[in-house]
Structures are given as C-alpha cells and as structure tokens.
Amino acid sequence: MPAKIPFIVKYDFEYGKLESLTPLIRRITARNPSGFTFQGTGTYVVGHGEVAVIDPGPLDSAHIEDLKEGLKDEKVTHILITHTHFDHSPAAAPLKDYWGVKTYAYGPHGAGKIEDGFTIEEGGDMDFEPDIRLKDGDVVQGPGWTIESVYTPGHTSNHLCFALKEENALFTGDHVMGWSTSVIGPPDGDMTQYMKSLGLLLNRSEDVYWPTHGTCIKDVKNYVRAFMDHRLDRERQILDCLSQGYSLIKDMVPVMYKDTDPSLYGAAARSVFAAMIRLVDVGKVKCESSISRLSEFRIA
Ligand SMILES: [Zn+2]
C-alpha cells in the first residue's frame, strides 16, 4: 500500500471573495474546481496598500473581474508566477496591462507538451513570457513584506516556490499541495528533480505552506517526508508489477491505482512513466527500445 499522506480536504472559503488568512496573506479562489485543481486556483495577495499577487490564475473573466474589484483601492506592484500551467499564469496577461505592473517568474514554459493520446487538463501556457526572470534566492519587496524565490523544478521545469520572510511561510504552488500529490508529467515534469526539490524543502525553516490549491499545511516536514515515502512506495509497486510479468505502463496503472477514479488514469500513467524514467536512470529497470510511455520495461 502507498504511504499514508495526511491530506487536508476540508477548509472554509468562498469563491470570488478576497479573504483574509493571516496578517499579510489574503486569497481569492477562482471558480475552476476540477480533479486537477481541487476547489480551484487560490490567487494569493501579499501585503496591504502595495501588494504582490501570486498566481493570478486561469483566463476566466469572472476571476479576473474579482481580482480587479478586490484590489481596486490598492496598488499591485508585482505579479509572481509559480509556474506556467493553464490554471496559474494566463490571467497575468490581461492583469499586467490593467494594473500596469511587471510579471516575475523563472522563465517561459519548458519542454512539456500535450502529447498523443495523453492529454491532461493541466496544460502548459506556451504564451507566457515573464518580464523579469527570477533565479533561486532572488528577493522582491514591498512595504512590510519580503519574498524570496525558491527554485523547485519537478512538477514543471520552471517551478518556483515563494518564501514570505515576515511570516516564515512558503507559497508552494503545485510543488507541495495539501489535498493531493503533484502530477509529474514528462518530459517537462521530472521525478528526479521533484524528489530533489522535496529534499530541498527539508533543509529550509518555513513552518507553514500555502499551496495554490487548497488550504495551508502545517507540520510541513512530516508532510514533505510523507510525499517522498509515497513516491518510493510507488517505485516499489512498479518493481512488483514488473516482477509479476507486467511490462506495459497501461497495464500497470489499473493495478497500481485500483482505488483511483479511472478518469485520472491518464495523469497516473504520466506519473508512472516519470517514476519509470527515474528507475531506468538509477539502473533498476531496463528498456530495450528508446524510452516512451508505450515502451516495454523489465527489471534490470
Ligand atoms: Zn501545475
């Protein structure tokens, strides 16, 4: 059985309303709930008067109007993007013009594309190009708030978390979420990088996480360790499947994810493939042909 992750699925929120969460953090939730976005995209607002907006969200006119209305008496000074999936970055385009502000992110979308037969809902925003590129450790500031960017590739190759120094808090985007594991979809998603980026969080001091989907996470280190254990368990399950004679990912997914809604098997297959690449990398699994999701795999 996969390691137990203490998911948090119950929390109070109201769509479209600028809600106060902590002295420095507010959030507006977009009306885009789904199997990939949970209750929807949580757009965070940091500070008061002069504020940063983190992940403006999908190109959804109601959400964009809610953000304009909610912040009409304040000055937005930065739009920060954790990564370039459709539910995070597209609203930056109209809002940066409206607010007359720059966008800050690691870079444009990386190698990931929606591929033959494996379309996922959470696609890449290929049009996004940040005005300012942030590297690991870069800092942006406003009155009363200081945000450091933390490079955490894995879910995507351009994923950043944002550390809010004054509250010892970390905005974790889709890297660590309270309600679900992250989808790691190769080629842009990379399991080896993801595991490294989880390990990186264990060496940091933040004691609360604010993911883009769902509510805050406390007891963060045990939480991160649970995610790492979960992936290692999945690797063990793959090795079990291979030793039972399964060689194709499509045949392993229903065995490994027998308690999961079949509508999520596409995403699961991407995750199994991502894990498989790591197993091939470390020499535990062999693939005779060039490696793809349709390849035949066996124990090395
Ligand atoms: Zn994402």
Side-chain angles (χ1 to χ4, degrees), residues 219-230:
D219 192 15
V220 297
K221 298 218 167 161
N222 281 331
Y223 210 88
V224 168
R225 279 189 208 101
F227 274 120
M228 296 175 91
D229 290 346
H230 170 78

Side-chain angles (χ1 to χ4, degrees), residues 36 82-88 122-123 155-156 159 173-175 177 182-183 213:
F36 288 91
T82 61
H83 68 293
T84 45
H85 276 150
F86 280 145
D87 52 327
H88 293 255
E122 193 194 43
H155 174 66
T156 62
H159 195 289
D174 284 1
H175 178 45
M177 299 187 285
S182 299
V183 174
H213 309 285

Side-chain angles (χ1 to χ4, degrees), residues 19 34 50 56 65 69 97 124 139-140 150 155 176 199 202 207 218 237 243 254 257 260 272 276 283 290:
E19 298 175 289
S34 77
E50 293 181 26
E65 288 311 311
E69 175 65 23
D97 290 340
V139 169
V140 299
V150 182
H155 174 66
V176 174
L202 292 178
D207 52 24
K218 293 164 184 162
Q237 284 183 295
S243 64
Y257 290 81
T260 299
V272 172
M276 195 74 86
S290 69

